[in-house]
Amino acid sequence: MAEHHGHDHHPEPPSAVEARARALESLLIEKNLVTADAIDRIVEAYESDIGPLNGARVVARAWVDPEFKRRLLADGTAAIRELGISGLRGEHLVVVENRPGVHNVIVCTLCSCYPWAVLGLPPAWYKSAAYRSRMVINPREVLAEFGLHLDEGTRVEVWDSSAETRYMVLPERPPGTEHLSEEELAALVTRDAMVGVARVEVPART
Ligand code: FE
C-alpha cells in the first residue's frame, strides 16, 4: 500500500473495506465455512459480472434513449440514480462519450480511483504503476497493446480519476445492432469498453 502514501485523496473504501473483507475471509476459512477458492470465485464474479453489469445497463439505456443520454452526459451521478444505481460516496460520476474522431480512456495516476458503482472492482492492471503512468504519457501505444488500434485522425482523451470525480466511458454503439433490444445491447458492453481500452464488438453469429 506504499503507493497510497504521499497523497491524501483516498480516505475511501479500499483500506477499511479491504481490511474487513480480509478479516472476514480468514474467519470464514478458519471455521471451515467457505474455501479460499469459493471466495476467489465471488470476487471474480464481482469484478467481471456484478459490477460492470450496472455500467452496461447505463450504456445500453443511453444508446436507446437519447434523452437519457443527454442527462447522463450532463450529470452522470443523477442519471445512474434513475436506474437505481447509487453507492457513490460523495464523489461525482462524469460520463465521457466516444464518438468519431474522439476516444476516451480512464486512469487514476495517483492510485486506483475507479467508478466502482458502475464498474465493480478495478482489474489488477488498472492499479498497476505501468498502466497509471504510461496511459498518460503514451495512451495510443498502451491502447494498441490492449488490441485497440486507433487511426491517426482520432484524438485520445485521458481522464484522470480522483476521490472527487470518477469517469466512465460511454462507448460507441457498434454498427449492425439496430435490431437488438436494450437488454441484448447491455450484454455486449464490457468493462474494458467502459474503461476505454476496448471497443464494443458484436460477436459473429453462429
Ligand atoms: Fe486514486
Side-chain angles (χ1 to χ4, degrees):
M1 302 306 270
E3 63 192 340
H4 281 274
H5 295 193
H7 73 292
D8 57 7
H9 84 294
H10 229 257
E12 211 228 313
S15 43
V17 170
E18 230 169 72
R20 273 164 48 198
R22 293 261 170 266
L24 184 61
E25 177 178 335
S26 315
L27 186 66
L28 291 173
I29 292 170
E30 205 170 288
K31 306 251 178 230
N32 285 322
L33 293 176
V34 64
T35 63
D37 244 22
I39 291 175
D40 285 348
R41 280 200 299 278
I42 293 166
V43 170
E44 167 73 21
Y46 200 82
E47 271 174 357
S48 53
D49 304 328
I50 300 165
L53 200 58
N54 277 339
R57 282 168 53 217
V58 172
V59 169
R61 174 65 57 86
W63 283 346
V64 301
D65 182 344
E67 270 306 299
F68 176 78
K69 176 174 150 181
R70 191 189 54 72
R71 294 195 297 277
L72 182 67
L73 296 176
D75 183 345
T77 311
I80 65 168
R81 208 177 293 130
E82 293 177 32
L83 301 189
I85 303 167
S86 56
L88 296 163
R89 309 160 102 87
E91 71 272 21
H92 300 289
L93 178 70
V94 174
V95 178
V96 290
E97 184 190 16
N98 284 349
R99 50 197 189 277
V102 180
H103 183 85
N104 297 282
V105 62
I106 66 173
V107 69
C108 174
T109 53
L110 282 175
C111 42
S112 57
C113 297
Y114 189 72
W116 53 270
V118 276
L119 296 190
L121 302 176
W125 52 258
Y126 184 85
K127 298 181 272 188
S128 72
Y131 179 81
R132 285 159 37 210
S133 57
R134 293 184 58 228
M135 186 53 91
V136 177
I137 297 164
N138 197 345
R140 207 171 278 277
E141 185 181 283
V142 177
L143 290 172
E145 288 167 19
F146 274 95
L148 178 58
H149 301 273
L150 299 171
D151 59 56
E152 285 303 312
T154 298
R155 184 172 85 242
V156 183
E157 298 201 342
V158 181
W159 300 87
D160 193 356
S161 312
S162 70
E164 292 75 34
T165 308
R166 308 297 165 94
Y167 298 93
M168 184 185 95
V169 175
L170 174 59
E172 285 183 275
R173 180 173 176 166
T177 57
E178 296 74 16
H179 60 292
L180 296 183
S181 69
E182 186 176 336
E183 201 178 10
E184 289 168 325
L185 288 168
L188 300 178
V189 181
T190 63
R191 175 198 68 200
D192 286 4
M194 295 181 282
V195 173
V197 296
R199 288 190 181 87
V200 175
E201 310 277 359
V202 182
R205 279 174 187 268
T206 49

